[in-house]
Amino acid sequence: MIIYQSTAKAFIEDTINEVLVDNLYKAYQEKIGRTTKNEIRSWENSLAKMSNVLYDPDIPGDVSVAIEFNIPNTSKRVDFIVAGNDGHNDNVMIVELKQWEFATKVDGKEAIVETALGGGIRETVHPSYQAYTYAALIKDFNENVRENQINLIPCAYLHNYFVQEDDPLTDDTYSFYIEKAPVFRKGEISKLREFMKKYIKQKDKIEAIVQIDQGKIKPSKSLQDALKNMIQGNEEFYMIDEQKVFFEEALSLFRQSMKDQKKRTMIVEGGPGTGKSVLAINLLVEIINQDRLAMYITKNSAPREVYAAKLQGTMKKTHINNLFKGSGSFTKAEENEFDVLIVDEAHRLNRKSGMFQNMGENQTKEIINGSLLSIFFIDENQKVTFSDAGSIEGIEEYANILGSEVIKRELVSQFRCDGSDGYIAWLDDVLDIRETANKNFIGLDYDFKIVDNPHDLLKLIKGKNKLANKSRIMAGYCWEWPKNERRNVAYHDITIGDFGMSWNLNATWAIDNASVEEAGCIHTAQGLEFDYIGVIIGDDMRYENNQIVTDYSKRAKTDQSLKGIKKLAQDNPEEANSIADKIIKNTYRTLMTRGQKGCYVYCKDKQLAEYFKIRIAYVEKEQQYLQMIAENPAGYTFK
């Protein structure tokens, strides 16, 4: 999606006539619905500088420009695009704009610099690295770019940045990325113009910006599919912005701990789809390639089973088992026995280990004790069982007890749900997990539907699954799972009227071709991702008296998620209801954020379905209103 598109001539005129901010604001309201004029004014200066760049007789006025292009499958946007032709090929220049005044070199961290951000001096990616990876992501995802042989030319323009002697911004450390994406500073407008004029000599032939904006988007890579290449050392995911910063910081902490033998604990907080698992696997690969003892840990067995199946044939089973461990594997670990332990889904850690949770002292403590460097990836809003005890507070507490330095970071960029932070926030608001400003998701390309019967849900998912075997049905655990029928595909555990489905028959349900006919639950879905997911909301969540109500008594007896809640309810029913309410809502939030491209939902409770439809209808009404504004802007006043 592009916020603003025009010719270079019209863009310059909008800037000179001081109407660019108003035009951008209207475009934002129509397409996104979440901005203020003050936010747009914050980059008005940068856009005025780009107007000066384009104000050159050798840059044709009919070449295309665009502002704020959303990179497919991410929440990131390209600042400025110029499209034209060099006499032979259509080219699209991707310009990353920065208002920085200075930068400091950061030693030992690839493509990282320090500058003033957010009211302080912070580490961030080098602008050339940012422009380069943005261009690489567009090329990777957009099939039109490849099919039409559109050249992407990235660069960065730091128009407020004063050139220094021995400038750290252009230090040899960053030469690889500067060669890929040149950086231009204050006073170098003529250099930027000359660079641009090599590629933009005339109007492009195929409307390249339109081709990019409306191009067919290749499905996102899923971690489970890319794992084999990652383990073999091949780059499968471009780490961008804070992902790259945290990756380099984690490697720096690793090198420090190996050198000085001091304990360190890194906590990385992030919501669904922020790339926690991708970072965890990349770190695992980098560290084991340096011949250090590292392991990837997750309580949930489903990702480990899928990863093992994907890696089968590439390494010995014992090697696979030594890379991927359950969270209860360290009850007897000696102090600093391992170099690095990387914990994914750290919110799922238990207090004690073993089938009866009677082994060891505390999983968090044992992991920190057993490693020089422990890295925890966590989202406390994805706790989905009564026994989930992992918490940021608990990690910090045990790290302090064991003398481990704590480093806390937060991932915010979205790489799932079509890169929409808005969908996650909207869902949190709808499910009453937290109040957000996202009452609607105007401009969201995410495919979200409420269907009226489960037959339609299965039909939709089976149709999507034909594309790449990456679509599945999931359900709340409200139907029993009889032990003697767990391998019987003909036995329907989930029955709704004349509709029937079996629970998943094996642990590799997420990748088995026939599994589209089976339903997964939170235990087989958490930690994995798909293109499209269909979610059946059972009787444990309904809508009444103008609010969402949860009922843990409707959960299946074979579900262990709420084991112990009834005993707590005898002593403290209010606390038990509060804990169960969070678990049930977190469960459906987790299921409804497994899909990269879309989510379809069937609700057993008809009033809950109507509530979802009303929230969607609100969006549709808002879109109709904004369309009226777009058609007759003089007739409305923005507030």
Side-chain angles (χ1 to χ4, degrees):
M1 180 192 299
I2 286 172
I3 300 303
Y4 172 99
Q5 185 179 349
S6 185
T7 63
K9 180 181 178 182
F11 167 70
I12 293 168
E13 289 174 350
D14 282 353
T15 307
I16 292 172
N17 295 326
E18 298 181 341
V19 297
L20 183 62
V21 168
D22 285 340
N23 289 342
L24 284 171
Y25 178 75
K26 290 172 186 176
Y28 250 103
Q29 292 297 105
E30 180 182 345
K31 296 182 179 182
I32 303 295
R34 302 187 304 274
T35 192
T36 66
K37 286 191 177 181
N38 285 338
E39 286 181 289
I40 292 173
R41 285 195 180 98
S42 68
W43 25 280
E44 186 177 15
N45 183 36
S46 292
L47 296 176
K49 296 295 184 182
M50 280 308 302
S51 175
N52 292 342
V53 173
L54 294 170
Y55 195 74
D56 185 292
D58 294 329
I59 299 176
D62 60 352
V63 300
S64 299
V65 303
I67 296 171
E68 289 278 287
F69 168 66
N70 182 219
I71 299 171
N73 300 323
T74 79
S75 57
K76 299 300 181 180
R77 293 182 177 277
V78 172
D79 291 333
F80 201 89
I81 293 174
V82 185
N85 188 284
D86 60 11
H88 303 282
N89 302 305
D90 280 348
N91 302 307
V92 172
M93 289 197 65
I94 291 170
V95 186
E96 183 62 28
L97 297 170
K98 299 291 184 190
Q99 300 192 49
W100 300 0
E101 295 182 358
F102 71 93
T104 305
K105 176 185 169 185
V106 176
D107 291 320
K109 296 181 181 180
E110 184 193 54
I112 304 298
V113 296
E114 272 189 347
T115 191
L117 288 174
I121 306 300
R122 306 182 191 281
E123 291 186 0
T124 188
V125 293
H126 190 283
S128 293
Y129 176 89
Q130 187 174 24
Y132 164 71
T133 52
Y134 282 10
L137 281 169
I138 294 170
K139 185 175 182 179
D140 193 34
F141 283 123
N142 196 301
E143 293 186 6
N144 282 17
V145 171
R146 296 190 301 278
E147 290 173 1
N148 292 297
Q149 297 182 326
I150 299 171
N151 295 320
L152 301 180
I153 315 296
C155 67
Y157 184 28
L158 283 67
H159 49 80
N160 292 339
Y161 187 100
F162 290 95
V163 178
Q164 308 172 43
E165 188 175 349
D166 297 324
D167 198 332
L169 192 70
T170 54
D171 187 86
D172 287 344
T173 306
Y174 310 112
S175 60
F176 175 83
Y177 296 107
I178 293 173
E179 287 176 12
K180 300 285 186 182
V183 60
F184 302 95
R185 300 156 293 181
K186 186 180 180 69
E188 295 182 336
I189 188 171
S190 59
K191 289 183 180 181
L192 175 53
R193 281 180 179 146
E194 292 307 310
F195 179 72
M196 184 177 292
K197 287 186 286 188
K198 287 195 298 184
Y199 304 99
I200 311 294
K201 295 180 179 179
Q202 62 191 46
K203 189 180 187 317
D204 56 313
K205 297 175 182 178
I206 61 168
E207 295 187 295
I209 289 178
V210 175
Q211 292 290 334
I212 290 176
D213 190 33
Q214 300 178 8
K216 184 180 179 182
I217 303 304
K218 186 177 73 175
S220 304
K221 295 175 185 175
S222 62
L223 179 58
Q224 54 261 33
D225 287 336
L227 181 69
K228 185 187 295 185
N229 283 340
M230 293 172 71
I231 292 292
Q232 293 172 343
N234 299 317
E235 186 175 33
E236 284 289 313
F237 296 92
Y238 293 103
M239 286 179 285
I240 61 175
D241 299 351
E242 76 267 18
Q243 268 195 331
K244 177 66 171 175
V245 173
F246 298 164
F247 177 78
E248 291 297 330
E249 183 171 16
L251 289 182
S252 176
L253 294 173
F254 158 69
R255 287 189 287 266
Q256 289 178 51
S257 289
M258 296 308 100
K259 184 177 180 179
D260 61 22
Q261 293 294 293
K262 290 183 180 178
K263 292 178 78 68
R264 292 177 175 86
T265 296
M266 187 176 190
I267 304 170
V268 183
E269 186 179 6
T274 50
K276 299 185 298 296
S277 296
V278 168
L279 261 177
I281 296 295
N282 270 307
L283 285 168
L284 175 71
V285 170
E286 184 68 27
I287 291 166
I288 62 175
N289 283 342
Q290 296 187 33
D291 294 324
R292 291 292 184 169
L293 186 54
M295 291 180 179
Y296 171 98
I297 301 164
T298 177
K299 172 193 171 183
N300 195 353
S301 63
R304 288 185 276 118
E305 295 279 359
V306 169
Y307 296 166
K310 285 290 185 180
L311 290 172
Q312 191 173 2
T314 63
M315 58 180 69
K316 292 181 179 179
K317 191 174 187 299
T318 52
H319 189 188
I320 296 172
N321 292 339
N322 286 331
L323 284 180
F324 302 98
K325 289 288 189 180
S327 58
S329 305
F330 304 93
T331 55
K332 297 180 180 179
E334 296 180 5
E335 184 180 3
N336 299 342
E337 181 178 340
F338 305 94
D339 294 320
V340 184
L341 293 178
I342 302 167
V343 188
D344 204 0
E345 310 280 353
H347 41 274
R348 298 295 317 277
L349 293 173
N350 289 346
R351 291 177 179 83
K352 296 196 173 188
S353 301
M355 183 178 294
F356 303 104
Q357 296 198 13
N358 60 352
M359 297 174 61
E361 181 184 351
N362 182 283
Q363 289 185 350
T364 300
K365 183 178 181 181
E366 289 154 6
I367 289 167
I368 296 172
N369 177 70
S371 57
L372 266 175
L373 174 63
S374 51
I375 305 174
F376 295 85
F377 293 92
I378 188 167
D379 176 11
E380 292 181 332
N381 284 330
Q382 288 194 60
K383 290 186 177 182
V384 294
T385 78
F386 187 61
S387 61
D388 289 353
S391 68
I392 295 171
E393 182 181 3
I395 296 168
E396 289 183 288
E397 178 184 348
Y398 284 116
N400 289 331
I401 290 171
L402 294 168
S404 183
E405 178 189 352
V406 175
I407 301 93
K408 291 170 63 177
R409 298 294 181 260
E410 183 180 8
L411 284 167
V412 295
S413 298
Q414 179 58 230
F415 296 89
R416 200 186 293 150
C417 302
D418 244 9
S420 175
D421 300 314
Y423 172 69
I424 306 294
W426 177 83
L427 188 60
D428 284 352
D429 194 86
V430 169
L431 294 178
D432 197 27
I433 291 173
R434 63 185 176 99
E435 187 174 354
T436 74
N438 295 74
K439 306 300 179 185
N440 59 64
F441 46 78
I442 294 173
L444 179 66
D445 293 327
Y446 193 63
D447 189 359
F448 182 83
K449 290 185 178 75
I450 302 297
V451 298
D452 292 328
N453 68 74
H455 291 288
D456 289 344
L457 185 69
L458 181 57
K459 183 178 178 181
L460 281 168
I461 291 301
K462 287 174 73 172
K464 295 296 185 183
N465 193 60
K466 290 178 181 178
L467 302 174
N469 187 33
K470 292 184 180 180
S471 300
R472 293 292 185 273
I473 293 280
M474 303 171 196
Y477 212 148
C478 300
W479 291 268
E480 301 296 340
W481 193 33
K483 190 172 183 179
N484 59 341
E485 301 289 354
R486 291 182 182 179
R487 293 291 179 267
N488 183 3
V489 70
Y491 183 82
H492 289 163
D493 306 286
I494 299 170
T495 56
I496 304 168
D498 63 349
F499 174 83
M501 279 190 92
S502 297
W503 285 119
N504 59 280
L505 300 183
N506 53 55
T508 53
W509 158 86
I511 56 175
D512 292 343
N513 287 322
S515 295
V516 71
E517 300 281 357
E518 306 158 12
C521 67
I522 187 63
H523 308 304
T524 49
Q526 192 168 37
L528 299 171
E529 58 190 13
F530 308 85
D531 282 350
Y532 292 86
I533 43 102
V535 178
I536 298 173
I537 298 180
D539 290 328
D540 57 345
M541 193 162 78
R542 61 184 184 271
Y543 191 79
E544 60 183 38
N545 299 323
N546 296 319
Q547 62 179 348
I548 285 183
V549 175
T550 58
D551 185 350
Y552 68 82
S553 70
K554 302 297 183 182
R555 283 288 186 100
K557 295 181 179 64
T558 48
D559 177 29
Q560 299 295 304
S561 300
L562 293 169
K563 186 178 179 180
I565 201 77
K566 289 183 179 178
K567 183 178 179 181
L568 176 63
Q570 294 174 355
D571 301 326
N572 193 332
E574 189 173 322
E575 183 182 358
N577 284 326
S578 176
I579 291 172
D581 181 71
K582 287 180 181 177
I583 288 172
I584 292 169
K585 288 177 178 177
N586 285 351
T587 296
Y588 285 116
R589 175 188 189 257
T590 301
L591 295 180
M592 293 167 74
T593 54
R594 294 303 93 190
Q596 295 183 337
K597 305 299 294 181
C599 172
Y600 309 138
V601 179
Y602 167 76
C603 307
K604 275 205 72 181
D605 181 64
K606 300 305 179 187
Q607 290 191 45
L608 181 61
E610 288 304 311
Y611 167 65
F612 274 112
K613 288 179 181 179
I614 288 170
R615 292 297 299 262
I616 295 170
Y618 174 75
V619 174
E620 291 171 351
K621 283 183 179 180
E622 196 79 1
Q623 287 173 326
Q624 290 169 8
Y625 174 70
L626 289 169
Q627 181 62 34
M628 291 165 62
I629 293 173
E631 292 172 357
N632 182 21
Y636 297 88
T637 302
F638 288 102
K639 294 183 180 179

